């Protein structure tokens, strides 16, 4: 029996050593998990603020875009109802609809950094990650449609308008579009009352306006969906509160 005691002691000491190592690993893992949760909470706070800012901006842009899309539709109807070769007098609010071709640049620094660094793994909510990926795809689609509208405006519509129509006043800042002028603006004031621009009605102009209406309509549809997707992302943050 006495010969077996050293082996028992060795086994016991070994068990203590292994247990100590496992305990150290467990403590390290618990500490890492705690740090991950702290970092996750910080990133979630920054992400939520980022998406809230995007939602506020998107809401305003979509509302303004809907207004301009209705006006470009009204402009096309006015052109279609007039004879070829005639000069029509259109409100600046309608003609200016051809000048509204924004391209979204949403806030995505926090989200982008998480994705590119691989630290997106810190987020335990898989639904949130999927919702943000869907949002990113939708915004990309919106931007593509907006670029098509912008290219049409820059490459074809604006050169055409400048060639056959007097739009100097329109482009120089007398747009009668109150929604584009901040209430606290300190810049040059826009004269009150209706403003008008004379356009030469031609098949080419009607075709350009029709194309712009199509592209801006596509951009608006994808923009509204992007707004819904932004709401879906924000809803996922509720699971953490």
């Amino acid at each position: 029996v006495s010969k077996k005691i050293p082996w028992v002691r060795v086994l016991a000491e070994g068990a203590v050593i292994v247990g100590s190592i496992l305990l150290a690993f467990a403590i390290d893992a618990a500490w890492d998990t705690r740090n991950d949760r702290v970092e996750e909470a910080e990133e979630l706070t920054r992400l939520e603020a980022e998406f809230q800012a995007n939602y506020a901006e998107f809401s305003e842009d979509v509302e303004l875009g809907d207004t301009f899309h209705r006006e470009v539709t009204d402009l096309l109807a006015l052109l279609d109802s007039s004879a070829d070769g005639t000069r029509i007098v259109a409100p600046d609010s309608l003609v200016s609809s051809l000048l509204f071709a924004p391209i979204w640049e949403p806030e995505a620094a926090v989200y982008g950094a998480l994705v590119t660094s691989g630290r997106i793994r810190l987020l335990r909510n898989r639904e949130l990650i999927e919702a943000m990926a869907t949002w990113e795809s939708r915004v990309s689609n919106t931007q593509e449609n907006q670029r098509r509208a912008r290219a049409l405006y820059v490459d074809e519509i604006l050169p055409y308008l400048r060639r056959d129509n007097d739009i100097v006043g329109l482009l120089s800042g007398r747009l009668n579009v109150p929604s584009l002028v901040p209430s606290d603006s300190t810049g040059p004031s826009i004269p009150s009352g209706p403003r008008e621009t004379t356009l030469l009605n031609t098949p080419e102009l009607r075709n350009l306006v029709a194309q712009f209406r199509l592209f801006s309509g596509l951009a608006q549809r994808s923009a509204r969906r992007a707004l819904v997707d932004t709401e879906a992302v924000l809803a996922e943050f509720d699971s953490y509160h």
Side-chain angles (χ1 to χ4, degrees):
V1 175
S2 60
K3 294 182 179 180
K4 295 182 179 180
I5 291 177
W7 290 105
V8 172
R9 183 179 296 122
V10 169
L11 290 175
E13 292 175 351
V16 170
I17 294 173
V18 172
S20 299
I21 294 173
L22 293 177
L23 179 60
F25 284 155
I27 292 174
D28 286 344
W31 183 255
D32 290 342
T33 298
R34 178 186 178 280
N35 288 340
D36 285 348
R37 296 294 72 82
V38 170
E39 189 173 357
E40 178 191 32
E42 293 173 349
E43 295 296 354
L44 284 170
T45 298
R46 297 170 62 202
L47 271 174
E48 186 171 15
E50 190 169 80
F51 276 91
Q52 285 175 339
N54 284 327
Y55 183 76
E57 182 175 350
F58 288 178
S59 297
E60 183 177 344
D61 288 348
V62 167
E63 182 178 355
L64 189 58
D66 285 342
T67 297
F68 276 95
H69 185 63
R70 286 193 298 270
E71 289 174 342
V72 78
T73 299
D74 292 342
L75 176 61
L76 182 59
L78 178 60
L79 292 170
D80 285 338
S81 65
S82 304
D84 282 347
T86 60
R87 290 195 173 273
I88 63 170
V89 178
D92 279 0
S93 59
L94 297 189
V95 183
S96 64
S97 63
L98 300 174
L99 312 180
F100 185 74
I103 298 177
W104 278 3
E105 294 183 2
E107 295 289 337
V110 178
Y111 172 68
L114 286 174
V115 172
T116 56
S117 67
R119 288 166 57 247
I120 194 77
R121 61 175 177 76
L122 289 170
L123 307 184
R124 292 167 292 170
N125 187 333
R126 306 309 301 175
E127 288 76 13
L128 173 60
I129 295 175
E130 292 172 3
M132 290 190 295
T134 298
W135 172 86
E136 181 182 25
S137 176
R138 188 78 69 187
V139 169
S140 178
N141 181 250
T142 300
Q143 291 172 321
E144 179 60 29
N145 287 326
Q146 289 173 332
R147 289 189 187 96
R148 293 171 67 186
R150 172 73 66 83
L152 180 64
Y153 160 67
V154 172
D155 297 339
E156 299 186 52
I157 293 178
L158 188 57
Y160 178 83
L161 290 177
R162 282 176 166 165
R163 184 177 72 243
D164 293 328
N165 303 277
D166 181 11
I167 59 169
V168 174
L170 185 71
L171 297 176
S172 65
R174 66 174 175 82
L175 292 177
N176 185 27
V177 188
S179 57
L180 291 181
V181 184
S183 58
D184 60 347
S185 175
T186 57
S189 61
I190 295 178
S192 61
R195 293 284 168 168
E196 298 172 330
T197 295
T198 300
L199 299 174
L200 178 62
N201 188 20
T202 65
E204 183 179 359
L205 177 59
R206 292 196 299 276
N207 179 58
L208 289 173
V209 174
Q211 288 186 63
F212 189 81
R213 179 179 178 275
L214 173 63
F215 292 160
S216 65
L218 291 173
Q220 277 305 106
R221 281 193 288 274
S222 58
R224 282 192 293 271
R225 292 180 185 132
L227 183 61
V228 172
D229 289 335
T230 310
E231 291 178 330
V233 171
L234 289 172
E236 290 298 331
F237 286 104
D238 292 340
S239 64
Y240 287 93
H241 299 320

